[in-house]
């Protein structure tokens, strides 16, 4: 490229990061585990219909995709899924793996060299039988896991229990051969965690209208010699205490992460081991997420932090944590341990998520007390490879803004960045506010080529971790209680206007975009404020009353009780905040993107909103994708969505991005 720098208007910078490249790098490895000495995990395959494959790393360092297309290792329990596989080395050192196949949601047994064999039947009732968070019980010839069973055709006609599935295939056509371990005392349960001596099992349970980050119960039950469970009892948790994870130390102590002090901290047999104003847990959106894992030495591998997360080793005797050295600034909620080896999934603003191994064996417990290094961390899988010159990557800023009533708002600001282009000196850049989903979640500070797709063309991005986001304690998280559609909208607008006021962004060229709950915030922002010139609304919630009266899945069917308030008590609030009820207030152009197979935020929400927009003569486009659910996974879908979004901004902001198909806006 040389040293020549061009002066071009924002939005017209030529970029090597096209939509196809961004789509090919969407998603990240997940659900790490060990099979014997080998590390295994799942990986996305956007160009293979969006499936997830199971990857094996052999002792010699080679990697292989264990299951060919169309096998798709992904569970639909609570629709967001959970741990979809488990494995162990059996006779002759051969791996035995059980996994959930997305297409039929059956549990399969697989041994390399053979074909997957079903272990569970298909049910014609409603959403059928679904499985998640499996644990192999080779001593009993079973796999223990969560069973989600639909009892009718409605999305809330469902029960969940812990169940034992025979490994010999005898339940493949016989539902009665599945042994239920618990009754349906809780509406929701996580998978079983079995004590080292096999005599006790622990799990988490909760009920409507609470979500798992509101309040959960830690349940403990003795295990009889025949593998049945005796009377369970609640040993921790409650309506206002969220326990995010439970596990067992190797000496039989019960470990769990509770937010009883306002922060998810780790407890050992009920006593805190590292009381800090930071998180050692998170929102349980998927069953089997793991923020800590006990080592044989008694130390505990932890994913922890305030805002961002680090991988560390916690000494429960001293309460000290020593973090692994390396370039990673964010770790996902997946950990696996084998002996003193730890496998995690980490990323940074310069690298996408990759599988990282930390060997703690070279250092004894006494070393960690003195703050000594804990071992060498190295990448062992899904290694980040710069598909383009890293000079085109965005250079983020971690910012804290002041919102209404002086409240803090956390955000990541990504200014336009290009190694060979600058804008005319008198021009301010357009900016897009990104509202994350959840809304009980957060935007991690990691390399995202979808963000780079815009910043490398001269469009700034600001990810707003608005009030209600996780990573900053329960008080920050609870700001959104009964304030959804208010606090999130205000916080995004406050960041946008602050960027304009300080001369970072062009006040007349501000946009907002988001998916799922972020799609709600986007649509609500377009109806309630005049801050934005346009918006991109992706698989959104648009009609609160409809969504709260049966238009979504069971897991979130009463989520609005805390986010908005009980519908029976505050029906006017539901109407007051719903974008569908205020479609006449939308004046800014918008793009609406929706998957037709979405059961969480179904297409009917978009269709109802668009019907209210008829005759309004507001430029807009609606693109619905067949075969896509909640969260786009196919490369061709993501390509079209990104290009359409860029074209919207180009038309509204009067930009000239080269080589981007024009999105037709209707009125």
């Amino acid at each position: 490229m040389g040293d020549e720098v061009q002066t071009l208007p924002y939005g017209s910078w030529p970029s090597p990061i096209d939509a196809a490249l961004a789509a090919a790098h969407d998603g990240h490895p997940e659900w790490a585990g060990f099979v014997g000495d080998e590390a295994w995990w799942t990986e996305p395959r956007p160009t293979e219909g969006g499936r997830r494959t199971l990857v094996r790393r052999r002792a010699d360092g080679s990697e292989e995709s264990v299951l060919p297309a169309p096998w798709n290792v992904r569970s639909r329990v609570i629709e967001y899924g959970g741990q979809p596989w488990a494995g162990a080395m059996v006779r002759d050192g051969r791996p035995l793996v059980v996994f959930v196949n997305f297409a039929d949601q059956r549990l399969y047994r697989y041994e390399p060299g053979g074909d997957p064999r079903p272990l569970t039947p298909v049910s014609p009732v409603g959403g059928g039988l679904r499985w998640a968070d499996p644990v192999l019980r080779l001593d009993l010839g079973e796999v223990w896991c969560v069973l989600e069973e639909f009892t009718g055709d409605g999305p809330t006609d469902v029960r969940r229990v812990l169940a034992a599935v025979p490994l010999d295939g005898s339940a493949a056509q016989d539902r009665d051969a599945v042994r239920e371990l618990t009754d349906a005392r809780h509406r929701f349960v996580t998978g079983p965690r079995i004590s080292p001596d096999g005599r006790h099992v622990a799990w988490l349970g909760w009920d409507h209208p609470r979500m798992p980050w509101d309040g959960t119960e830690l349940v403990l039950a003795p295990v009889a010699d025949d593998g049945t469970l005796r009377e369970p009892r609640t040993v921790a948790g409650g309506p206002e205490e969220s326990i995010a994870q439970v596990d067992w130390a190797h000496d039989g102590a019960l470990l769990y992460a509770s937010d009883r002090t306002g922060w998810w901290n780790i407890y050992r047999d009920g006593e805190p081991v590292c009381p800090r104003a930071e998180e050692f847990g998170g929102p349980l959106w998927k069953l089997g997420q793991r923020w800590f894992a006990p080592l044989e030495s008694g130390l505990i591998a932890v994913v922890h932090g305030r805002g961002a997360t680090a991988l560390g080793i916690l000494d429960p005797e001293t309460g000290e944590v020593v973090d692994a050295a390396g370039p990673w600034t964010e770790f996902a909620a997946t950990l696996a341990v084998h002996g003193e080896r730890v496998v995690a999934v980490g990323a940074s603003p310069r690298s996408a998520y990759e599988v990282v191994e930390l060997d703690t064996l070279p250092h004894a417990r006494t070393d960690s007390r003195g703050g000594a290094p804990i071992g060498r961390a190295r990448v062992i899988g899904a290694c980040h490879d710069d598909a383009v010159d890293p000079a085109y990557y965005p250079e983020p800023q971690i910012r804290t803004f002041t919102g209404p009533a002086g409240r803090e708002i956390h955000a990541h600001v990504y200014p336009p960045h290009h190694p060979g282009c600058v804008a005319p000196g008198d021009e301010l850049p357009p900016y897009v506010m990104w509202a994350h989903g959840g809304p009980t979640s957060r935007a991690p500070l990691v390399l995202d080529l979808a963000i780079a797709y815009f910043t490398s063309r001269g469009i700034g991005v600001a990810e707003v971790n608005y009030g209600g986001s996780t990573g900053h304690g329960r008080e920050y998280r609870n700001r959104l209680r009964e304030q959804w559609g208010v606090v999130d909208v205000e916080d995004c607008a406050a960041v946008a206007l602050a960027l304009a006021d300080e001369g970072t962004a062009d006040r007349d060229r501000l946009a907002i975009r988001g998916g799922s709950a972020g799609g709600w915030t986007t649509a609500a922002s377009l109806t309630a404020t005049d801050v934005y010139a346009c918006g991109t609304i992706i698989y959104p919630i648009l009609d609160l009353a409809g969504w709260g009266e049966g238009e979504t899945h069971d897991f979130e069917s009463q989520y609005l009780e805390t986010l908005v308030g009980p519908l029976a008590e505050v029906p006017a609030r539901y109407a007051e905040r719903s974008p569908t009820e205020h479609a006449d207030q939308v004046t800014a152009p918008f793009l609406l993107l929706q998957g037709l197979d979405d059961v969480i935020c179904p297409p009917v929400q978009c269709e109802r909103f668009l019907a209210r927009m008829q005759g309004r003569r507001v430029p807009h486009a609606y693109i619905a994708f067949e075969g896509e659910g909640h969260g786009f996974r196919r490369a061709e879908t993501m390509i079209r969505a990104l290009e359409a979004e860029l074209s919207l901004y180009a038309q509204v902001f009067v930009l000239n991005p080269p080589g981007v198909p024009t999105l037709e806006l209707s009125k």
Side-chain angles (χ1 to χ4, degrees):
M1 183 179 66
D3 297 326
E4 182 179 350
V5 176
Q6 295 178 282
T7 299
L8 294 172
Y10 288 115
S12 64
W13 300 348
S15 173
I17 303 173
D18 60 15
L21 185 68
H25 289 78
D26 188 78
H28 59 80
E30 198 174 14
W31 304 123
F34 277 97
V35 179
D37 292 333
E38 298 179 354
W40 293 44
W41 59 87
T42 65
E43 272 187 25
R45 293 289 186 265
T47 58
E48 297 179 19
R51 77 181 185 101
R52 295 193 69 90
T53 190
L54 191 57
V55 175
R56 172 187 188 182
R57 186 182 190 273
R58 294 181 178 272
D60 61 7
S62 62
E63 289 180 36
E64 66 174 292
S65 176
V66 176
L67 295 163
W71 295 104
N72 187 353
V73 184
R74 183 175 153 220
S75 169
R76 282 189 63 184
V77 168
I78 69 169
E79 292 302 343
Y80 291 108
Q83 174 80 33
W85 73 277
M89 288 294 180
V90 290
R91 60 185 182 279
D92 302 324
R94 293 172 59 85
L96 163 65
V97 174
V98 296
F99 71 93
V100 178
N101 183 48
F102 181 74
D104 56 13
Q105 286 299 290
R106 298 175 83 181
L107 198 62
Y108 284 80
R109 171 177 177 151
Y110 176 67
E111 294 166 270
D115 294 323
R117 292 184 292 148
L119 296 179
T120 56
V122 174
S123 169
V125 180
L129 301 174
R130 300 175 179 178
W131 314 86
D133 212 0
V135 176
L136 285 172
R137 294 297 311 266
L138 298 179
D139 55 329
L140 298 174
E142 296 175 330
V143 54
W144 289 14
C145 50
V146 174
L147 162 60
E148 181 178 80
E149 181 173 28
F150 281 79
T151 58
D153 294 332
T156 60
D157 296 332
V158 62
R159 60 191 294 269
R160 297 174 187 89
V161 297
L162 298 185
V165 177
L167 285 170
D168 62 7
S170 57
Q173 304 298 331
D174 182 7
R175 167 65 181 85
D176 292 336
V178 174
R179 186 167 65 92
E180 295 193 9
L181 298 169
T182 65
D183 59 19
R185 61 181 286 175
H186 285 296
R187 185 75 175 186
F188 303 95
V189 292
T190 62
R193 297 295 177 261
I194 302 161
S195 63
D197 61 8
R199 295 181 179 179
H200 290 86
V201 61
W203 67 93
L204 304 180
W206 68 96
D207 296 289
H208 285 318
R210 292 187 300 276
M211 299 299 285
W213 42 86
D214 295 323
T216 54
E217 294 182 4
L218 170 52
V219 184
L220 187 66
V223 181
D225 292 340
D226 61 358
T228 60
L229 302 191
R230 294 174 180 162
E231 185 63 29
R233 60 189 177 94
T234 297
V235 297
E240 293 294 327
E241 178 184 355
S242 169
I243 297 178
Q245 183 193 334
V246 60
D247 212 327
W248 297 88
H250 286 265
D251 65 359
L254 188 64
L255 303 172
Y256 57 88
S258 165
D259 75 344
R260 62 183 57 156
T261 64
W263 299 86
W264 276 301
N265 281 185
I266 295 179
Y267 293 78
R268 176 184 163 93
D269 287 337
E271 297 297 322
V273 297
C274 184
R276 292 188 183 185
E278 61 178 84
E279 307 285 29
F280 289 78
L284 192 65
W285 280 101
K286 298 179 180 181
L287 305 185
Q289 287 180 296
R290 204 173 194 193
W291 292 269
F292 70 86
L295 298 163
E296 289 183 358
S297 63
L299 302 176
I300 306 172
V302 292
V303 170
H304 71 106
R306 186 166 181 162
T309 53
L311 173 65
I313 300 297
L314 165 63
D315 185 338
E317 291 186 5
T318 67
E320 293 187 12
V321 180
V322 180
D323 289 337
W328 311 283
T329 57
E330 186 76 40
F331 282 86
T334 180
L335 282 176
V337 296
H338 179 67
E340 297 302 311
R341 295 166 60 197
V342 180
V343 167
V345 176
S348 79
R350 308 296 289 178
S351 61
Y353 284 100
E354 45 196 0
V355 182
V356 176
E357 180 174 329
L358 174 66
D359 190 345
T360 68
L361 191 58
H363 298 272
R365 179 190 295 272
T366 53
D367 292 328
S368 69
R369 292 175 183 172
I374 55 174
R376 184 169 62 96
R378 61 194 179 101
V379 177
I380 63 166
C383 180
H384 172 76
D385 183 23
D386 291 316
V388 297
D389 186 339
Y392 289 93
Y393 293 164
E395 297 181 346
Q397 305 166 358
I398 301 174
R399 298 281 305 272
T400 301
F401 295 87
T402 301
R407 63 178 182 251
E408 287 187 345
I409 307 167
H410 301 285
H412 307 145
V413 177
Y414 298 82
H417 178 73
H418 192 294
C421 292
V422 295
D426 59 348
E427 185 183 4
L428 291 174
Y431 258 82
V432 184
M433 303 301 109
W434 282 35
H436 63 71
T440 310
S441 184
R442 67 183 177 90
L445 187 65
V446 300
L447 178 63
D448 184 343
L449 290 188
I451 291 177
Y453 177 75
F454 294 104
T455 57
S456 63
R457 286 169 169 77
I459 300 173
V461 169
E463 292 181 309
V464 184
N465 282 315
Y466 47 80
S469 301
T470 52
H472 301 281
R474 186 165 186 132
E475 183 179 353
Y476 193 86
R477 196 165 80 237
N478 282 350
R479 285 185 189 176
L480 214 55
R481 281 197 168 188
E482 298 197 0
Q483 295 299 310
W484 196 37
V486 179
V487 166
D488 50 326
V489 170
E490 290 178 347
D491 286 2
C492 288
V495 172
L497 293 175
L499 291 173
D501 290 345
E502 70 185 25
T504 297
D506 186 339
R507 174 63 184 88
D508 295 326
R509 295 193 293 178
L510 298 173
I512 185 168
R513 68 97 79 171
S516 189
W520 153 269
T521 300
T522 298
S525 297
L526 295 182
T527 61
T529 78
D530 61 357
V531 172
Y532 308 103
C534 61
T536 300
I537 308 167
I538 309 170
Y539 36 83
I541 300 163
L542 296 169
D543 177 4
L544 290 178
W547 201 76
E549 291 179 331
E551 287 183 356
T552 191
H553 62 144
D554 186 56
F555 178 56
E556 293 178 277
S557 62
Q558 296 185 35
Y559 195 6
L560 300 183
E561 296 279 305
T562 52
L563 287 177
V564 181
L567 177 57
E569 298 176 16
V570 290
R573 189 183 298 167
Y574 280 62
E576 176 188 349
R577 297 185 190 171
S578 291
T580 296
E581 296 295 327
H582 300 285
D584 60 331
Q585 297 178 20
V586 178
T587 59
F590 64 89
L591 169 64
L592 188 54
L593 302 170
Q594 177 68 44
L596 291 177
D597 291 349
D598 193 338
V599 298
I600 297 173
C601 295
V604 66
Q605 292 262 317
C606 293
E607 294 160 4
R608 192 176 299 135
F609 177 73
L610 290 171
R612 299 286 183 91
M613 289 295 302
Q614 284 187 354
R616 297 276 298 111
R617 300 190 62 79
V618 175
H620 67 276
Y622 176 50
I623 306 176
F625 299 97
E626 292 186 4
E628 289 283 12
H630 197 69
F632 300 150
R633 289 176 170 82
R634 298 178 178 179
E636 59 269 25
T637 300
M638 292 183 278
I639 291 170
R640 190 177 180 199
L642 270 179
E643 290 181 340
E645 184 176 354
L646 179 56
S647 181
L648 171 70
Y649 304 148
Q651 294 179 58
V652 174
F653 297 153
V654 193
L655 311 176
N656 186 29
V660 176
T662 299
L663 172 70
E664 183 177 345
L665 298 174
S666 59
K667 293 186 178 180

